[in-house]
Amino acid sequence: MTTTNGRFGRFGGQYVPETLMTALIELEEAYNEAKKDASFNAELHDYLKDYVGRENPLYHAKSLSKKLGGAQIYLKREDLNHTGAHKINNALGQVLLAKRMGKTKVVAETGAGQHGVATATVCALFDIECVVFMGREDVKRQELNVFRMELLGATVIPVDAGSATLKDACNEALRYWVANVHDTHYILGSALGPHPFPTIVKDFQRVIGDETRRQILEKTGRLPDAIVACVGGGSNAIGMFTPFIEDQAVKLYGVEAAGKGIQSGEHAAAFATSKEGVLHGAYMYILQDDDGMIQEAVSISAGLDYPAVGPEHCHLGDIGRVEYTSATDEEALEGFQLLTKTEGIIPALESSHAISFASKLAQTMSTEEILVICLSGRGDKDVDQVRQVLGGKSND
Amino acid sequence: MTKTLQAVIEQTTTQGNKAFVPYIMAGDGGLEKTKDTILYLQKSGATAIEIGIPFSDPVADGPTIQQAGLRALAQKVSLRKIIAFLTTIKHEVKIPLVIMTYLNPIIQYGIPKFISDIKEANIKGLIIPDMPFEESSIINDVLVPDDDIALIPLISLTSPQTRIEKILHESEGFVYAVTINGITGSGSAFSQDLQHHLKKLKSIAPIPVLAGFGISSHDHAVIVGENIDGVIVGSAIVEALHLNDFATIDAFFPQQTSI
């Protein structure tokens, strides 16, 4: 049994109903065994290669670098993965784990629908029953992803409770797991939740950072000067950052969603408020009022619309290893258009937050320096929403 | 020293009765109604009352208690206001009150202040559904025996024997046996193993065993309570109170109505 309960400094832990504790302990044991099992790792590697399409490129964005006139910008192309985002890395790892544990059903929550689609995809692949909870608001914002999940054979259940977004979908998924824990595995989609989830998700996502490290050394012979990733719960960021944590010279930046601006109070930037507490099983920075009621996160991007940030990020911010900043909806839309026009790559709105901040950072750097952006997903899913926001007109 | 809450339950069972602990949502219908409800349940013969604190994200609760919590929050009720209110009625309340709250509102309140304020309000027990015993030091380290506040452990059908023994080792007040794998109020689908589980739990528990989650009627309560010390009823009471359906409430107290 665990003695640390998965703490990152004072963050993390296992704040869940007693009914789930046994499942978490079993999951941790099964995961620790799987991690050491060569056949498990080989199977995961094969699927990552031939099914997901890894390794994906680390692309030198010369046009964007030139246009900004600063650092040489490289994009880690998670957008080229099967299903269009980094989410599949974790979903695949966890479904193999669920299979190994003899679970016949999977439950998941989803915000933008990327994690839901990734989970429904691997469940289709392994013929596992799949239930996905999704906030009613997100169901509206991401209709196509709902249909995609249904095509893949998943049951999508809209959640009307609370703000009807990602946090409420998490609540429902946890409730469902409590009631079906004997035969169901919960595939949590971000580096969140009770221990061991933040660690499992990190381990399955660190392939992003491991590849990036190898690729940048091959291409340039040295490590990057800075790395930027967007942070909702923080799974693509933690996966990207982890292999670089010990390299103090590599500056790491996490970009949260500032929505309509931090001052407006309508945002999803938990770091900006510095309020700590417990939600969905972990001690974290959380958007909340003085009475401890969780506040609704606001962002143009459904995937960043979560009122807290994963426990390891809280710790990395606390010790000053990673700098956490934010980008507004407007800035994200600018980043979205910038990358589309200069590189012909349409990024997800989530990733557009990273692009926005990175484009400003790049201009403060020399042309000799190297900046890596984690392009966590592609923007096909967002095109309709962006069209509506921009009123059919794009900026030139 | 035996805590007051435990002593009161043991007094009830020594007299050959089963403990009956209704759960209510503080502030559902306003705090004035909550006062009337507490006094009504006290008069009806409740052994103790569990006072639920509304929370925005109650992951252990089903729709009935979720809705009650939202109604209470719409009344602008908060943990601060509820504790202040409970302090004002403490001389009228003769039975133990137990607060049931998720952890986050306590953290925002400030844990040491929370403990000293609920002691002042004469609260005799505390149930935190999202705090398993591995995490209980956050509260336990602040509690002292003199507070006379029992931190009630929850035990589920999924808890293995070795874990149950560990939990019982440090427990006080009573043991809250969760009777279903599910959230509060989720029907009456009791597992075949439940009686066996409760009997076994009773045989090893050094303190009274009460069962709750999904008990919907008096008959139901009698069956579940057969081999243990009593029951907790939440959703059925909360819904009846919301509808002002006192016949349903009274039906949980047959020994009173037959007198």
Side-chain angles (χ1 to χ4, degrees):
Chain A
M1 192 186 288
T2 173
T3 49
T4 61
N5 301 337
R7 294 273 163 182
F8 305 96
R10 67 180 179 281
F11 300 99
Q14 292 182 301
Y15 299 93
V16 294
E18 172 63 18
T19 309
L20 290 183
M21 276 310 297
T22 302
L24 291 178
I25 292 164
E26 276 172 10
L27 176 61
E28 183 178 15
E29 285 167 1
Y31 176 63
N32 286 338
E33 273 171 33
K35 212 162 54 165
K36 283 182 275 179
D37 181 346
S39 70
F40 177 83
N41 287 307
E43 190 179 15
L44 176 61
H45 180 265
D46 284 352
Y47 279 106
L48 284 174
K49 180 169 177 283
D50 295 334
Y51 188 73
V52 176
R54 303 200 77 98
E55 72 179 33
N56 57 40
L58 180 69
Y59 164 70
H60 187 186
K62 290 179 189 153
S63 302
L64 181 62
S65 306
K66 196 174 163 199
K67 182 173 172 117
L68 295 171
Q72 297 308 308
I73 297 171
Y74 288 79
L75 302 174
K76 181 55 178 165
R77 299 292 308 273
E78 293 300 309
D79 62 315
L80 295 179
N81 291 342
H82 180 44
T83 72
H86 69 291
K87 294 292 185 189
I88 190 95
N89 304 330
N90 170 55
L92 182 61
Q94 285 206 48
V95 84
L96 289 175
L97 192 57
K99 236 175 42 140
R100 192 184 161 96
M101 291 172 72
K103 304 284 184 182
T104 56
K105 285 194 279 183
V106 151
V107 62
E109 83 296 334
T110 196
Q114 293 307 94
H115 172 58
V117 168
T119 303
T121 298
V122 295
C123 286
L125 175 63
F126 293 106
D127 194 23
I128 285 179
E129 203 180 320
C130 179
V131 175
V132 179
F133 288 95
M134 188 170 185
R136 177 79 68 184
E137 279 305 308
D138 293 334
V139 167
K140 274 188 244 160
R141 288 196 278 193
Q142 303 285 349
E143 277 176 359
L144 266 180
N145 270 345
V146 174
F147 185 59
R148 239 172 233 131
M149 287 183 269
E150 287 170 350
L151 279 176
L152 289 160
T155 306
V156 180
I157 305 179
V159 177
D160 289 306
S163 55
T165 60
L166 181 54
K167 85 170 168 77
D168 310 287
C170 276
N171 291 342
E172 265 338 297
L174 276 168
R175 289 180 184 121
Y176 182 91
W177 197 31
V178 169
N180 297 278
V181 67
H182 56 286
D183 64 354
T184 301
H185 175 62
Y186 180 16
I187 300 193
L188 224 155
S190 195
L192 294 167
H195 175 67
F197 281 110
T199 297
I200 291 178
V201 175
K202 169 178 70 174
D203 290 353
F204 287 139
Q205 291 294 2
R206 74 168 283 165
V207 64
I208 303 172
D210 286 335
E211 285 180 7
T212 300
R213 203 168 198 285
R214 196 164 61 237
Q215 290 167 317
I216 199 76
L217 286 172
E218 272 168 23
K219 282 176 192 290
T220 69
R222 67 183 190 87
L223 293 177
D225 298 284
I227 302 177
V228 179
C230 66
V231 176
S235 69
N236 86 86
I238 204 72
M240 175 57 103
F241 293 164
T242 296
F244 295 95
I245 295 290
E246 302 301 323
D247 304 306
Q248 296 293 335
V250 181
K251 290 191 177 126
L252 305 173
Y253 297 91
V255 186
E256 289 192 284
K260 296 173 182 170
I262 303 293
Q263 301 304 326
S264 73
E266 293 182 54
H267 60 83
F271 268 110
T273 64
S274 299
K275 279 190 176 171
E276 298 171 18
V278 166
L279 179 67
H280 299 144
Y283 191 88
M284 306 176 281
Y285 288 115
I286 303 171
L287 298 179
Q288 56 187 310
D289 67 17
D290 292 339
D291 294 316
M293 299 302 125
I294 310 305
Q295 288 174 324
E296 293 177 20
V298 178
S299 169
I300 190 168
S301 135
L304 301 183
D305 210 345
Y306 185 74
V309 56
E312 191 164 6
H313 285 293
C314 296
H315 177 61
L316 290 170
D318 225 40
I319 61 172
R321 179 62 190 96
V322 179
E323 187 177 319
Y324 292 90
T325 177
S326 60
T328 63
D329 290 351
E330 206 175 311
E331 289 169 323
L333 282 166
E334 285 165 15
F336 180 92
Q337 294 173 83
L338 176 68
L339 192 70
T340 303
K341 288 208 159 70
T342 54
E343 295 288 349
I345 297 171
I346 300 178
L349 277 174
E350 291 77 15
S351 321
S352 300
H353 288 73
I355 294 159
S356 165
F357 172 76
S359 63
K360 289 173 186 119
L361 181 66
Q363 293 175 58
T364 69
M365 296 167 72
S366 81
T367 54
E368 306 298 309
E369 290 184 291
I370 297 169
L371 169 59
V372 172
I373 304 173
C374 187
L375 185 55
S376 57
R378 60 174 173 248
D380 308 34
K381 69 184 175 57
D382 299 314
V383 169
D384 192 44
Q385 191 190 354
V386 171
R387 182 173 61 102
Q388 286 175 28
V389 176
L390 297 179
K393 289 180 218 138
S394 69
N395 298 331
D396 265 313
Chain B
M1 192 187 74
T2 304
K3 301 258 156 109
T4 301
L5 178 61
Q6 184 176 334
V8 168
I9 293 169
E10 282 170 348
Q11 200 186 343
T12 306
T13 52
T14 306
Q15 290 165 357
N17 295 318
K18 298 285 184 187
F20 180 73
V21 180
Y23 167 103
I24 63 171
M25 176 59 78
D28 182 12
L31 287 173
E32 268 309 304
K33 179 172 177 179
T34 302
K35 177 183 173 177
D36 296 343
T37 302
I38 290 171
L39 298 178
Y40 185 83
L41 293 170
Q42 173 172 272
K43 201 174 118 219
S44 300
T47 312
I49 301 172
E50 209 181 298
I51 309 289
I53 308 295
F55 182 50
S56 53
D57 296 79
V59 292
D61 287 308
T64 302
I65 291 178
Q66 283 180 47
Q67 290 305 320
L70 289 176
R71 289 193 298 266
L73 289 174
Q75 298 270 347
K76 305 279 178 209
V77 163
S78 66
L79 182 56
R80 259 170 263 273
K81 286 184 188 167
I82 293 164
I83 293 174
F85 152 76
L86 292 172
T87 310
T88 64
I89 63 165
K90 69 175 180 180
H91 297 296
E92 295 167 74
V93 179
K94 311 294 179 201
I95 57 175
L97 298 184
V98 176
I99 283 186
M100 176 148 174
T101 178
Y102 290 86
L103 189 53
N104 200 54
I106 305 180
I107 293 173
Q108 290 313 307
Y109 195 100
I111 294 169
K113 182 168 164 50
F114 171 74
I115 299 296
S116 84
D117 287 359
I118 64 170
K119 184 186 173 189
E120 177 59 30
N122 211 20
I123 302 302
K124 295 299 178 196
L126 193 52
I127 301 171
I128 306 176
D130 59 348
M131 189 186 75
F133 92 105
E134 282 88 344
E135 302 288 1
S136 60
S137 63
I138 191 171
I139 298 292
N140 252 333
D141 290 353
V142 183
L143 278 174
V144 292
D146 190 41
D147 291 333
D148 194 23
I149 297 166
L151 188 57
I152 311 297
L154 287 101
I155 285 180
S156 81
L157 292 169
T158 59
S159 314
Q161 181 75 13
T162 50
R163 184 175 170 81
I164 291 175
E165 284 165 11
K166 249 187 225 177
I167 294 171
L168 289 176
H169 182 66
E170 294 177 27
S171 60
E172 48 190 17
F174 66 85
V175 179
Y176 193 136
V178 177
T179 51
I180 45 170
N181 287 336
I183 49 183
T184 56
S186 33
S188 55
F190 285 88
S191 79
Q192 294 288 325
D193 301 334
L194 179 65
Q195 287 305 338
H196 177 69
H197 170 79
L198 291 177
K199 236 186 227 176
K200 199 164 158 197
L201 187 55
K202 175 65 192 160
S203 72
I204 57 172
I207 56 175
V209 176
L210 273 63
F213 276 43
I215 297 172
S216 57
S217 67
H218 175 70
D219 289 349
H220 208 168
V222 169
I223 296 166
V224 175
E226 191 186 349
N227 297 306
I228 52 171
D229 301 298
V231 296
I232 300 155
V233 177
S235 299
I237 297 271
V238 165
E239 191 58 19
L241 284 168
H242 176 54
L243 302 171
N244 291 314
D245 171 12
F246 287 92
T248 294
I249 306 226
D250 291 342
F252 278 101
F253 298 95
Q255 71 276 26
Q256 301 298 317
T257 45
S258 64
I259 287 167

